[in-house]
Amino acid sequence: MTRGRPIRVVRVVLVGLGAVLIAIGGGALVVGVPTRQWSGILLWLAGAVVLHDALFAPLVLIGSRVLRRVGARVSWLQVAVVQVALVVGAAVTLIAIPGIAAQARGARNPSVLVFPYALHLGVAWAAIGVLTAATVLVIALRRRRRETSPSVP
Amino acid sequence: MIGSSLSLLRSALASPARHPRTAVVLGRLLGLGFLICFGTGLLSHFLQDPLPGMAFLTRPIWLYRLTQGLHVAVGTALIPLLLAKLWTVYPLLFRWPPVRSVGGVLERAAIALLVAATFVQLATGLTDTFQWYPQPFRFRETHFALAWALVGALAIHVGVKLPVIIRWWRRSRSVDAAGGLLPVGEGEGDLRSEPRAKGVTGMLQRSIDRAPTPPAAVSRRTAIVGTGLASFAVVALTAGETVPALAPIDVFAPRLVRSGPQGLPVNRTAAQANANRTALDPAWRLTVQGPERSVVLSLDDLRGMTQTDAGLPIACVEGWSTQAQWRGVAVRDLAALVGGQGREWLVHSFATGAYSTTVLQREFAADPLTLVALELNGSVLHVDHGYPARLISPARPGVLQTKWLRSLVVR
């Protein structure tokens, strides 16, 4: 390994640099944020990880195991299309939530929160559903045609 | 007992797409995104709070519009990317024993900080653009501090994982002819297949493994295409608040480019800023206090001076921006009136609260396009846009484009 040494140097530099940057972040926190708010920050940092690791990720696991069972009976391509649709739908839902929540509390002025976010989210899911159903159907039809057409020797 | 339960859990989580190569593909995009957000964020921060001796570019006029638009759009795109990256490496959470050395403890601590800080940055960043502040701490100062911690933890993470990153960087060394990912060998990273267990654990493991598994190539492409489309969708459906070409499909952004008085969104109205009474008072005057003399100017005095036209965007820290046509008196003409050319100014507003006094650095004060604006898009300023007079300058955040001007005082 001729390049082992330079890589080790790069790794040491990166870890050292990281420690310095984290220290700067700590300094910025001390200077900029009152100490009584630190517990709130800690709570949010820990809460975000728990929410993901103990709730979101297990739900995704259960969902994907269910889809796999279905996938064995239909086609994997169709399952893949449904999975992609669910991922896109989930992402759009995540970015729509702040709009819906903020709107429920009332906009600060008429030029902010300009859309009916809940309605738009519903429309987005409907559009994703229609597109997904159409794609799944097309895949099924093509498969059936291939299966019924006589194979060319 | 714990070890074998966790081993079963990892078996259940196994997927052909949960692979170091996927982690590298998503990770390098995330890393690039973090650096873009960090760089643009620092620019925005220092424009508002410059360190002594700092000077800024005033051209191109759309510089801040670009950097802050990128900051918010890239940050939005990172939400699906982050979740996909965590999905890829999720089985590693259940490694047993959790750590094997002091270095391992530090490594996992850096990852914990990285993941936690990223979640909080993306979540509070997004809610901030909607002017919703659910967090029990100051947004701006915390966002700034956590940004440093995040890139620091990222540097440590990259440093630790560098050999694995290098191993799986190239597609040609990662994917077989059929499109599936190559098996992970000894020393080529985590996420290796579970070793066969014996006894009851082995039986359970075999029953989990009997569940059908998608073909490796389909699994890999689903993960990448799903993440890519999700990131693309969240940006496409929100970036219209700053990219005019995307405005027709802007359906989830907090703003719409042309909504608001005179075709321009408003961040804080005159009523919100308690500026209504003073702004609409006929006795309103602008005081310009220079090193040689001071002048007190009425609205008619200002209208009687040489008027300058400037096409400049309003670009908000919240990520929206709109180009507009402004007309008023150039700040450098006012400076010349009181012998304050080339100087730095304190800008006072009648508004109350944050940013009611700001600093106009000398490079912006000297720029011929920096105006005390009296008109917007061809008519007198609406009171929510700062009537009777507001500051407008190129390449600066909207919060510094002070509305309801009271005085300019040389520093």
Side-chain angles (χ1 to χ4, degrees):
Chain A
M1 279 290 269
T2 44
R3 57 179 200 169
R5 230 180 101 79
I7 286 178
R8 195 174 318 146
V9 173
V10 172
R11 294 180 74 185
V12 170
V13 168
L14 278 171
V15 172
L17 175 72
V20 171
L21 292 172
I22 291 173
I24 294 175
L29 192 75
V30 170
V31 172
V33 185
T35 44
R36 66 190 147 75
Q37 295 185 352
W38 292 8
S39 57
I41 296 176
L42 264 180
L43 188 73
W44 270 58
L45 288 171
V49 173
V50 170
L51 207 64
H52 172 269
D53 290 355
L55 186 69
F56 187 79
L59 284 178
V60 172
L61 169 64
I62 293 168
S64 61
R65 296 301 299 193
V66 170
L67 271 179
R68 274 193 196 186
R69 249 157 233 257
V70 180
R73 269 179 268 135
V74 289
S75 85
W76 288 114
L77 190 58
Q78 286 168 324
V79 174
V81 169
V82 173
Q83 279 176 323
V84 168
L86 288 174
V87 167
V88 173
V92 167
T93 305
L94 279 178
I95 59 149
I97 286 172
I100 295 169
Q103 218 154 35
R105 306 165 69 87
R108 298 188 168 214
N109 79 64
S111 77
V112 67
L113 306 177
V114 287
F115 300 119
Y117 296 97
L119 175 69
H120 282 191
L121 183 59
V123 173
W125 271 109
I128 290 171
V130 169
L131 262 174
T132 309
T135 314
V136 166
L137 207 67
V138 167
I139 294 171
L141 287 176
R142 288 175 74 172
R143 232 170 52 144
R144 188 174 305 166
R145 199 176 307 155
R146 209 176 311 140
E147 279 165 10
T148 50
S149 66
S151 56
V152 183
Chain B
M1 186 60 201
I2 299 176
S4 47
S5 316
L6 289 177
S7 163
L8 285 177
L9 184 53
R10 289 195 303 269
S11 293
L13 283 167
S15 156
R18 283 189 159 119
H19 188 282
R21 164 69 183 175
T22 318
V24 169
V25 168
L26 297 173
R28 61 193 178 197
L29 284 173
L30 264 175
L32 179 67
F34 285 145
L35 292 182
I36 292 172
C37 284
F38 186 60
T40 51
L42 283 188
L43 174 67
S44 183
H45 177 84
F46 287 122
L47 274 166
Q48 295 169 69
D49 276 334
L51 295 177
M54 270 188 173
F56 299 92
L57 292 172
T58 64
R59 292 288 186 280
I61 56 163
W62 41 261
L63 180 64
Y64 186 75
R65 183 180 195 187
L66 174 73
T67 62
Q68 197 61 13
L70 266 179
H71 186 82
V72 172
V74 171
T76 308
L78 289 183
I79 295 172
L81 266 177
L82 169 72
L83 291 170
K85 175 73 161 64
L86 292 180
W87 175 85
T88 307
V89 298
Y90 186 59
L92 298 182
L93 194 64
F94 307 106
R95 246 186 325 197
W96 194 261
V99 285
R100 292 184 176 86
S101 61
V102 179
V105 176
L106 292 176
E107 181 196 347
R108 292 204 89 164
I111 290 176
L113 176 62
L114 178 59
V115 173
T118 307
F119 270 128
V120 174
Q121 291 294 72
L122 295 182
T124 56
L126 182 68
T127 55
D128 186 80
T129 67
F130 286 89
Q131 298 197 345
W132 178 40
Y133 315 102
Q135 72 277 8
F137 44 83
R138 289 182 184 172
F139 171 70
R140 205 186 125 203
E141 290 82 352
T142 311
H143 204 62
F144 178 67
L146 284 182
W148 287 95
L150 193 162
V151 290
L154 176 65
I156 293 177
H157 183 57
V158 172
V160 169
K161 298 287 186 195
L162 197 55
V164 179
I165 296 171
I166 292 170
R167 166 63 187 88
W168 300 104
W169 187 266
R170 290 177 169 280
R171 190 177 190 279
S172 58
R173 294 185 61 208
S174 311
V175 182
D176 62 24
L181 291 160
L182 296 172
V184 185
E186 177 77 40
E188 292 186 327
D190 301 310
L191 295 164
R192 306 180 59 189
S193 16
E194 277 305 298
R196 292 269 148 255
K198 291 194 198 75
V200 182
T201 313
M203 259 169 60
L204 288 169
Q205 194 183 41
R206 278 191 295 280
S207 89
I208 289 172
D209 286 351
R210 260 201 303 278
T213 308
V218 174
S219 178
R220 183 185 120 244
R221 286 181 189 132
T222 308
I224 298 297
V225 170
T227 311
L229 269 183
S231 282
F232 179 79
V234 293
V235 173
L237 299 178
T238 55
E241 65 174 355
T242 194
V243 180
L246 291 175
I249 55 165
D250 175 6
V251 291
F252 287 119
R255 308 280 187 164
L256 186 63
V257 269
R258 297 272 163 236
S259 82
Q262 293 175 296
L264 196 67
V266 170
N267 209 357
R268 201 157 62 129
T269 60
Q272 282 177 293
N274 294 318
N276 253 329
R277 192 182 52 79
T278 40
L280 300 172
D281 187 349
W284 176 87
R285 296 288 183 273
L286 177 71
T287 307
V288 185
Q289 198 177 315
E292 289 170 14
R293 67 192 83 81
S294 293
V295 291
V296 177
L297 303 164
S298 70
L299 194 49
D300 284 336
D301 294 335
L302 285 167
R303 284 180 180 145
M305 294 177 69
T306 308
Q307 301 291 299
T308 304
D309 290 293
L312 294 174
I314 281 274
C316 183
V317 287
E318 289 164 10
W320 60 268
S321 59
T322 303
Q323 180 72 16
Q325 198 59 39
W326 308 87
R327 185 176 173 80
V329 182
V331 165
R332 61 176 194 175
D333 293 348
L334 289 167
L337 221 54
V338 294
Q341 300 98 317
R343 298 289 293 269
E344 190 171 273
W345 300 81
L346 276 179
V347 180
H348 296 284
S349 166
F350 281 107
T352 55
Y355 298 99
S356 52
T357 296
T358 57
V359 174
L360 183 66
Q361 287 117 318
R362 58 176 56 89
E363 61 272 23
F364 292 106
D367 193 287
L369 292 182
T370 299
L371 308 183
V372 167
L374 310 174
E375 288 179 25
L376 161 60
N377 290 339
S379 54
V380 174
L381 274 179
H382 187 281
V383 70
D384 286 340
H385 286 310
Y387 176 88
R390 78 172 298 168
L391 197 72
I392 185 79
S393 50
R396 290 183 102 203
V399 283
L400 299 179
Q401 313 283 28
T402 309
K403 300 194 272 194
W404 314 291
L405 287 177
R406 171 190 216 139
S407 60
L408 299 174
V409 179
V410 78
R411 260 190 127 187

